[in-house]
């Protein structure tokens, strides 16, 4: 990371890195995405059924605009189609920056997944920026270095000029101390503080996913939007991906260890994950100081998580 990049990253919470992929790498990835689209639409085998089940694809005007990230399906495509995405996993220009942004030992926590866009794609409401505060995605500084729990790398496979749609964010919001005003969240009242960076195919946007307020604005680019997002996290942060599948105490530890525990004891035996979608892991104390599982916490968490995960 250069000194200029470091300054910019710290100041605004995202960074556009130009020409991360070569033209032939972009072409290979686009071919693989065509293959994916075809499998999702026309595949009749078991693998296609699995893809459809997990990717929950959506099309608009015949263009694929969404494929989910419950499993890393792009890495699981048959050869040679998985290869462009496997190469991106440890792309040298990205590794160089993530080592500093997330700390050494960063890991893939979710994705890679696909976000598309075509004329008529709606606003993806702004989210993130510590609502609610999530220490594992927060932005922190200590001893002259900065640290971000979660950094998403979004590769562009089609061009978009500034304000032509796609990823949008509120620069500097990773340091904001106040909640996002409702009109800004929907961008009905963008308050002049939303940026929609321009990108060319092969560029990558790195952003503080969770710490910086971000979302997307409707697509107006000449060609359909194609972005692939890799959600990296610091080594000790667990948000999406496989972490949700192994948080259950009996899975994270083992059945015998947790057998016979009270619900309160079991609550602290859950594995790490953001928004675990179960009310088991939250504790509170009642008026008499007795520890109990907090059954009211989940709904509020779910609301925040829903906003966060919106497609
Ligand atoms: O690039 C986009 O469309 C926004 C991505 C986003 O909001 C997210 O990853 O949480």
């Amino acid at each position: 990371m250069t000194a200029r990049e470091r300054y910019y990253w710290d100041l605004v919470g995202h960074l556009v890195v130009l020409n991360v992929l070569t033209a032939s790498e972009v072409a290979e990835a686009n071919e693989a995405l065509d293959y994916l689209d075809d499998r999702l639409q026309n595949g009749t085998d078991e693998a296609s059924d699995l893809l459809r089940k997990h990717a929950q694809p959506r099309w608009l005007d015949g263009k694929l605009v969404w494929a989910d990230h419950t499993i890393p399906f792009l890495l699981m495509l048959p050869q040679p189609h998985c290869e462009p995405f496997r190469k991106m996993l440890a792309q040298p220009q990205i590794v160089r920056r993530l080592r500093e942004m997330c700390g050494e030992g960063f890991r893939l926590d979710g994705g890679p997944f696909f976000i598309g866009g075509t004329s008529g794609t709606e606003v993806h409401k702004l989210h993130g920026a510590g609502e609610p505060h999530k220490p594992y995605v927060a932005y922190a500084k200590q001893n002259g270095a900065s640290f971000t729990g979660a950094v998403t790398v979004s590769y562009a496979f089609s061009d978009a000029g500034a304000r032509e749609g796609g990823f949008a964010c509120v620069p500097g919001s990773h340091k904001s101390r106040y909640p996002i005003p409702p009109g800004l969240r929907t961008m009905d009242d963008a308050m002049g503080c939303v940026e929609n960076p321009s990108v060319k195919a092969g560029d990558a946007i790195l952003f503080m996913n969770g710490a910086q307020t971000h979302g997307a604005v409707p697509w107006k680019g000449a060609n359909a939007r194609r972005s692939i997002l890799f959600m990296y996290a610091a080594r000790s942060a667990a948000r999406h991906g496989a972490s949700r599948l192994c948080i259950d105490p009996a899975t994270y530890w083992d059945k015998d260890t947790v057998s016979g525990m009270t619900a309160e004891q079991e609550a602290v035996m859950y594995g790490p994950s953001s928004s675990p979608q179960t009310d088991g892991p939250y504790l509170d104390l009642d008026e008499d100081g007795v520890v109990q599982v907090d059954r009211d916490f989940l709904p509020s968490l779910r609301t925040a998580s829903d906003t966060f995960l919106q497609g």
Side-chain angles (χ1 to χ4, degrees):
M1 214 168 165
T2 64
R4 280 168 68 88
E5 287 182 346
R6 192 173 299 118
Y7 176 81
Y8 192 85
W9 174 252
D10 170 66
L11 188 70
V12 304
H14 70 274
L15 186 69
V16 180
V17 185
L18 306 181
N19 302 317
V20 175
L21 303 178
T22 62
S24 65
E25 286 171 330
V26 169
E28 277 167 23
N30 268 325
E31 265 173 44
L33 290 174
D34 289 342
Y35 171 83
L36 171 76
D37 194 349
D38 180 59
R39 286 292 291 273
L40 288 169
Q41 291 202 59
N42 308 314
T44 51
D45 56 353
E46 244 177 67
S48 304
D49 288 342
L50 188 83
L51 268 180
R52 273 188 292 270
K53 179 174 159 215
H54 289 283
Q56 297 286 311
R58 292 200 304 265
W59 287 269
L60 191 67
D61 287 340
K63 304 279 185 227
L64 184 65
V65 291
W66 176 258
D68 213 339
H69 52 88
T70 46
I71 57 170
F73 54 85
L74 291 168
L75 305 178
M76 295 157 62
L77 293 175
Q79 288 286 357
H81 303 296
C82 60
E83 214 42 53
F85 309 110
R86 290 182 177 215
K87 273 205 253 166
M88 286 172 218
L89 270 175
Q91 210 286 341
Q93 295 209 48
I94 299 302
V95 168
R96 181 175 304 133
R97 290 165 175 100
L98 287 180
R99 274 169 55 88
E100 191 167 329
M101 292 171 171
C102 269
E104 289 165 24
F106 59 85
R107 46 180 284 279
L108 184 78
D109 185 68
F113 72 107
F114 174 83
I115 300 186
T118 186
S119 153
T121 317
E122 289 176 1
V123 154
H124 180 174
K125 280 189 218 160
L126 296 176
H127 50 280
E131 289 186 57
H133 176 65
K134 295 179 178 175
Y136 38 82
V137 291
Y139 176 74
K141 290 186 83 167
Q142 199 166 7
N143 294 338
S146 75
F147 177 82
T148 314
V151 176
T152 291
V153 179
S154 175
Y155 290 95
F157 295 97
S158 40
D159 301 353
R163 291 183 292 283
E164 282 190 354
F167 174 82
C169 60
V170 179
S173 50
H174 58 301
K175 297 181 184 175
S176 172
R177 288 162 190 254
Y178 303 104
I180 310 167
L184 179 58
R185 193 179 277 285
T186 56
M187 291 186 263
D188 292 325
D189 176 9
M191 297 170 64
C193 61
V194 175
E195 186 185 333
N196 172 217
S198 64
V199 282
K200 289 213 178 301
D203 295 348
I205 304 173
L206 284 70
F207 64 97
M208 298 180 186
N209 194 341
Q212 190 202 49
T213 298
H214 67 278
V217 287
W219 186 255
K220 296 184 193 132
N223 297 312
R225 176 182 182 190
R226 278 184 158 183
S227 304
I228 299 292
L229 285 77
F230 287 72
M231 303 166 85
Y232 292 94
R235 172 118 310 259
S236 56
R239 311 172 61 211
H240 295 282
S243 65
R244 294 241 178 98
L245 306 176
C246 47
I247 61 161
D248 184 68
T251 310
Y252 187 69
W253 301 97
D254 66 71
K255 248 196 216 141
D256 291 344
T257 306
V258 298
S259 149
M261 285 188 177
T262 64
E264 288 73 24
Q265 291 160 358
E266 224 182 51
V268 296
M269 302 301 280
Y270 276 82
S273 165
S274 160
S275 314
Q277 311 293 334
T278 167
D279 53 13
Y282 303 102
L283 287 178
D284 196 2
L285 286 89
D286 69 13
E287 283 168 7
D288 301 321
V290 177
V291 172
Q292 55 182 17
V293 174
D294 181 356
R295 300 282 174 204
D296 294 332
F297 187 62
L298 185 61
S300 62
L301 186 71
R302 206 171 252 155
T303 308
S305 151
D306 282 349
T307 313
F308 181 74
L309 292 174
Q310 249 174 36

